[in-house]
């Protein structure tokens, strides 16, 4: 796949604070890449440097194979949708959408047509003559998208664009943005701290933590094969058992030897990850681990059972509805060895 | 239901009642009286005699023309010179801005009289500039004062800080994300400035121009002291009509002209920009002239770009750098403007220690005898004490009245709060000289002329708008959910006010108090009409003395005032910094 955009050792330092460690990242043409991470993980800094709004302290940025590290934002062929929308309050919707065209000296009918098309794309044609403050949050978001798409940038950056919307509207706009991505075939780089949003929307996720990239991969890869403890806990729920790998496809935990994924022969202190839905409840004697049930929660299609292990930690299992175990009942937990992941501590 | 919601509304407005009643009696009534008095001839018959006299006498027409000319030039110069400074201040972080603002606040708060006195010292024949020119070998030093140029320099120096302080709040509401958005959408920094920043800051510019223009209309200190009779302004005529000619109807007619002009400018302003931007609020967009203005501004951005492009090609410099803060050139400019604002004030300081009986630069010898004269003269002593007392009483009264009104404004329906706000800040819009003449009439009948109570009342009228603007802004930022939280936790209305609202609003109340105090302490217009003889205020005493001769005692008095203001400003900024932590 062609590489659209690439950072080489791109980093940012504010005084003594390292906002982003030197980072290498490749973005493929036409993909939907999400920068995911908690606040302060450096994702917005990375986005700002790609946009040209922050000056990198180290490294380079290449777009389409050409160095763009010091190009002005308007000359990079990128578009940016702000979290706060940043619609110009003194201009109407139409004037806002026309702004990037006027800056590129597109005039007259051509401009009109492009504005109308962009507004149609986000289904806001009827609002052309309104002012931003007369629109709801969701509508303003659509206008911000239209203003970004109207000049056909080849890379679209979205900085937590749905942060200010309520849950229902968020989900709707997620679908809208996916639809626009597929229709336009552009490269999207999307920033969010919401792991669910990242999982549902992205082709690939770039997981960030403490000013550096933790792991890059498809949502499935990140979920099924997290590379670090942070990746395991940030995406989805996880049960982590701290113990020691013996280098012979075994894992020593609380005087038991648990199986690890086949052909893994690591040794030393490690953690074993088992996702709640990968485990199942079995009789006490058949379990790989066991303990008393301390909590059961009904969550619609599933139930969630929490078991207290001998080590004192809790183990959560998510399983289909059926016989609900009683609180205090001693129960065993089992899983397929290949559904577990061995992580460095 | 309807009746109860009606009564609830009325109850919500009740805290504003004292302030409104106060202004009705001591502001609306006297101003209205002037208006109707102006339409009476010498014999008491209703007519346009006075205006006829105004229009048909070339001298008066000239004075009116000069008043407008000087006010217009002052307003334009203050806004144009002040804009880059305000822009730079708006880009800074909170702490850096605080440090810069100290240097703007000192000239802002320094008394108009002191500032004008400083210019006399700079520009007079034996003054700083003259001495400097002679020592540089200039043969014929031109007369610098009194001239029209001196008047304009003095006026702009006096009012430029006001222009900057008026523009700054609106510029601060313009977030950096707009420029960033414009940048990513393809605009250069110049284009972003002209198409986004300038239109968004326009209401602040208009508000600054309006306030400076209207303040200038009623100015008399600077033209009297720095101008020739050719530069006489209307307010001077009003004073002489009242105090020398005892021709009240004629003074009324002059005041009416000023009033009508201010009113027209003000209504225009409200139509085009909207009143609320005086309180530092971004106005509602969508006026008709705006589309035209925008299409004019965009080419400005393109033009600046073209010039920059040429420059870059010529110098081989790299073009773009993402900005965080402001270009170095702007900072240099800001330093120069602030230096020019501070310099005349600073020059007064050494001169106060002169050993000679006259003022000259450089000061000769060193003595404290002028400070002794100031400290031990019963007249100066009494006037200083009176000014402090009147200032303190004014601040108390204005804050008490203003607090209720500002609180009521947050609760009353929008349709009411706009006219109420208009009335409360009206004393700022009506030239002071008009209010002063009106009060002069009223006090004569109420036997308040020459009393401290009369001074306090008059100063309170002038101070209320400043208190309202300060407190309204604070109330806007106040989180009313805290009130609900306190109510649920069991606090009654009095307890809520004492434990939640007042502590949180204390910084705003303190600065409103100080604002009101300084308004009174520096006030001269009302003092000229209301105080007299032995019962003068400090500015009035300075004014009387300065008109007779420019003595070293005045330099000593100015020294004390400047140092006091500087101390207050520095203390306030330290206090604010502490409050931010």
């Amino acid at each position: 796949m062609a590489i659209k955009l690439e950072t080489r050792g791109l980093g940012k330092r504010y005084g003594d604070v390292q906002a982003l460690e030197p980072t290498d990242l490749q973005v493929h043409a036409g993909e939907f890449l999400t920068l995911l991470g908690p606040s302060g993980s450096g994702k917005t800094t990375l986005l700002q440097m790609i946009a040209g709004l922050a000056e990198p302290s180290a490294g380079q940025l290449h777009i389409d194979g050409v160095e763009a590290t010091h190009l002005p934002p308007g000359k990079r062929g990128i578009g940016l949708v702000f979290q706060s929308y940043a619609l110009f309050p003194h201009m109407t919707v139409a004037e806002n959408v026309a702004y990037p065209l006027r800056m590129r000296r597109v005039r007259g009918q051509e401009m009109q047509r492009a504005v109308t098309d962009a507004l149609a794309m986000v289904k806001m044609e009827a609002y052309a003559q309104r002012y931003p403050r007369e629109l709801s949050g969701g509508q303003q978001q659509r206008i911000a998208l239209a203003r970004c798409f109207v000049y056909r940038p080849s890379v679209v950056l979205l900085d937590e664009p749905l942060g200010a919307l309520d849950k229902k509207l968020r989900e709707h706009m997620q679908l809208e943005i996916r639809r626009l991505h597929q229709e336009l075939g552009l490269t999207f780089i999307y920033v969010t701290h919401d792991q669910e949003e990242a999982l549902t929307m992205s082709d690939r996720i770039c997981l960030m933590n403490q000013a550096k990239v933790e792991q890059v991969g498809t949502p499935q890869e990140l979920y099924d094969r997290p590379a670090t403890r942070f990746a395991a806990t940030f995406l989805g729920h996880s049960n982590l058992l701290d113990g020691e790998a013996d280098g012979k496809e075994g894992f020593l935990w609380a005087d038991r030897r648990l199986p690890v994924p086949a052909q893994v022969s690591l040794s030393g202190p490690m953690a074993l990850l088992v996702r709640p839905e990968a485990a199942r409840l079995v009789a006490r004697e058949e379990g790989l681990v066991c303990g008393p049930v301390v909590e059961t929660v009904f969550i619609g299609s599933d139930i969630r059972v929490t078991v207290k292990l001998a080590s004192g930690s809790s183990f959560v299992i998510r399983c289909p509805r059926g016989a609900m175990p009683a609180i205090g009942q001693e129960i065993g937990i089992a899983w397929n060895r290949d559904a577990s992941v061995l992580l460095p501590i | 239901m309807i009746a109860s919601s009606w009564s609830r509304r009325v109850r919500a407005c009740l805290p504003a009642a004292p302030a409104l009643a106060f202004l009705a009696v001591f502001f609306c009534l006297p101003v209205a009286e002037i208006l109707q008095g102006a339409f009476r001839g010498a014999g008491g018959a209703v007519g346009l005699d006075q205006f006829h006299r105004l229009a048909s006498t070339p001298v008066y027409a000239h004075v009116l023309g000069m008043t407008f000319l000087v006010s217009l030039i002052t307003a334009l110069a203050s806004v144009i010179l002040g804009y880059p400074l305000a822009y730079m201040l708006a880009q800074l972080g909170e702490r850096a801005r605080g440090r810069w603002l100290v240097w703007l606040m000192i000239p802002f708060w320094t008394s108009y009289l002191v500032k004008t006195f400083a210019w006399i010292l700079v520009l007079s024949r034996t003054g700083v500039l003259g001495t400097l020119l002679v020592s540089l070998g200039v043969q014929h030093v031109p007369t610098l004062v009194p001239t029209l140029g001196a008047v304009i320099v003095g006026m702009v120096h006096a009012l430029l800080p006001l222009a900057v302080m008026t523009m700054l709040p609106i510029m601060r509401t313009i977030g950096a994300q707009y420029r960033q958005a414009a940048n990513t959408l393809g605009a250069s920094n110049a284009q972003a400035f002209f198409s986004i920043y300038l239109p968004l800051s326009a209401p602040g510019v208009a508000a600054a121009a309006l306030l400076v223009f209207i303040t200038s209309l009623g100015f008399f200190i600077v033209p009297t002291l720095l101008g020739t009779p050719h530069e006489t302004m209307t307010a001077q005529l009003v004073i002489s009509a009242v105090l020398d000619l005892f021709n009240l109807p004629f003074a009324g007619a002059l005041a009416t002209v000023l009033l009508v002009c201010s009113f027209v400018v003000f209504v225009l302003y409200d139509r085009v920009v909207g009143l609320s931007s005086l309180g530092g609020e971004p106005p509602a967009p969508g006026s008709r002239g705006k589309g035209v203005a925008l299409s004019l501004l965009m080419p400005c951005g393109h033009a600046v770009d073209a010039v920059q492009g040429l420059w870059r090609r010529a110098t081989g410099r790299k073009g773009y750098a993402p900005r965080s803060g402001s270009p170095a050139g702007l900072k240099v400019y800001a330093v120069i403007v602030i230096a020019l604002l501070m310099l005349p004030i600073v020059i007064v300081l050494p001169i106060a220690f002169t050993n000679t009986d006259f003022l000259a630069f450089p000061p000769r010898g060193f003595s404290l005898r002028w400070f002794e004269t100031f400290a031990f003269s019963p007249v100066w002593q009494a006037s200083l004490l009176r000014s402090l007392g009147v200032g303190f009483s004014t601040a108390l009264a204005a804050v008490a009245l203003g607090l209720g009104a500002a609180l009521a404004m947050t609760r009353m329906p929008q349709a009411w709060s706009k006219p109420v706000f208009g009335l409360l800040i009206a004393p700022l819009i009506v030239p002071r000289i008009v209010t002063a003449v009106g009060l002069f009439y009223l006090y004569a009948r109420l036997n308040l002329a020459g009393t401290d109570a009369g001074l306090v009342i008059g100063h309170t009228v002038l101070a209320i708008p400043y208190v309202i603007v300060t407190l309204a802004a604070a109330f806007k930022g106040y989180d009313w959910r805290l009130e609900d939280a306190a109510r649920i936790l069991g606090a009654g209305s009095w307890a809520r006010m004492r434990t939640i609202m007042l502590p949180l609003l204390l910084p705003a109340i303190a600065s409103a108090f100080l604002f009101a105090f300084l308004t009174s302490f520096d006030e001269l217009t009302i003092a000229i009409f209301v105080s007299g003889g032995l019962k003068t205020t400090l500015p009035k005493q300075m004014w009387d003395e300065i008109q007779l001769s420019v003595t070293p005692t005045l330099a000593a008095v100015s020294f004390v005032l400047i140092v006091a203001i500087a101390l207050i400003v520095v203390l306030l900024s330290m206090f604010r910094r502490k409050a931010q932590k």
Side-chain angles (χ1 to χ4, degrees), chain A residues 48 52-55 70 72-74 78 80 82 84 86-91 95 99-100 102-105 131 133 147 151, chain B residues 177-178 180-187 191-192 195-196 199-200 284-286 290-291 294-295 298 302 318 320-322:
Chain A
Q48 292 235 319
L53 296 175
E55 182 100 31
H70 298 288
I78 48 133
L80 173 58
F82 287 74
S84 60
L87 296 178
F88 304 129
H90 60 304
M91 298 181 189
E95 285 169 335
Y99 188 85
R102 296 181 77 156
M103 286 302 134
R104 288 169 175 74
R105 302 185 191 239
Y131 281 92
R133 75 200 157 95
R147 186 176 71 177
Y151 60 100
Chain B
Q177 82 267 23
Y178 293 127
Q180 296 189 340
N183 278 161
T184 61
L185 293 172
Q191 284 166 333
S195 60
I196 308 294
L200 286 179
K290 188 216 63 182
L294 251 186
S295 47
M298 291 230 187
H302 290 309
K318 238 197 184 162
Y320 174 84

Side-chain angles (χ1 to χ4, degrees), chain B residues 399-572:
Chain B
V399 167
L401 292 172
L403 198 58
L407 179 67
M409 274 198 332
T410 63
R411 296 180 181 174
M412 61 178 70
Q414 199 128 55
W416 297 8
S417 68
K418 196 186 162 189
V420 167
F421 182 69
L423 176 60
L424 289 169
I425 62 159
L428 197 67
I429 309 304
V430 171
R432 272 187 193 187
I433 189 84
V434 179
T435 314
V437 174
L439 285 173
F440 181 71
Y441 282 93
L442 186 72
Y443 286 178
R445 259 174 292 140
L446 299 178
N447 280 329
L448 280 171
T451 63
D452 290 352
L455 275 173
V456 172
I457 290 171
H459 288 179
T460 304
V461 168
L462 298 182
I464 282 177
Y466 294 106
V467 172
I468 291 289
V469 168
T470 311
L471 292 182
F475 272 116
K476 204 154 284 154
Y478 181 68
D479 187 353
W480 290 97
R481 287 171 303 183
L482 296 177
E483 290 278 295
D484 296 338
R487 198 205 309 260
I488 289 164
L489 297 172
S493 64
W494 174 243
R496 284 204 301 276
M497 185 178 251
R498 195 169 47 80
T499 56
I500 311 289
M501 188 190 281
L502 286 181
L504 285 175
L505 295 178
L506 200 61
I509 292 173
S511 54
F513 187 90
L514 201 75
F515 229 135
F517 176 83
L518 287 173
T519 305
S520 162
F521 196 71
D522 183 29
E523 207 289 328
L524 177 61
T525 320
I526 288 179
I528 281 184
F529 292 106
V530 172
S531 70
L534 283 173
K535 303 202 110 186
T536 67
T537 62
L538 191 60
K540 173 72 160 57
Q541 179 60 31
M542 287 180 74
W543 176 246
D544 290 343
E545 179 136 344
I546 211 169
Q547 280 184 297
L548 290 177
S549 68
V550 182
T551 61
T553 318
L554 283 166
V557 178
S558 300
F559 181 97
V560 172
L561 288 180
I562 291 166
V563 170
I565 291 292
L567 272 179
I568 291 176
V569 168
V570 170
L571 280 177
L572 256 187

Side-chain angles (χ1 to χ4, degrees), chain A residues 104-120:
Chain A
R104 288 169 175 74
R105 302 185 191 239
V106 178
R107 297 249 158 80
Q109 291 234 307
E110 195 188 343
M111 181 179 91
Q112 288 303 332
R113 203 167 33 241
V115 169
T116 315
D117 285 352
L119 286 175

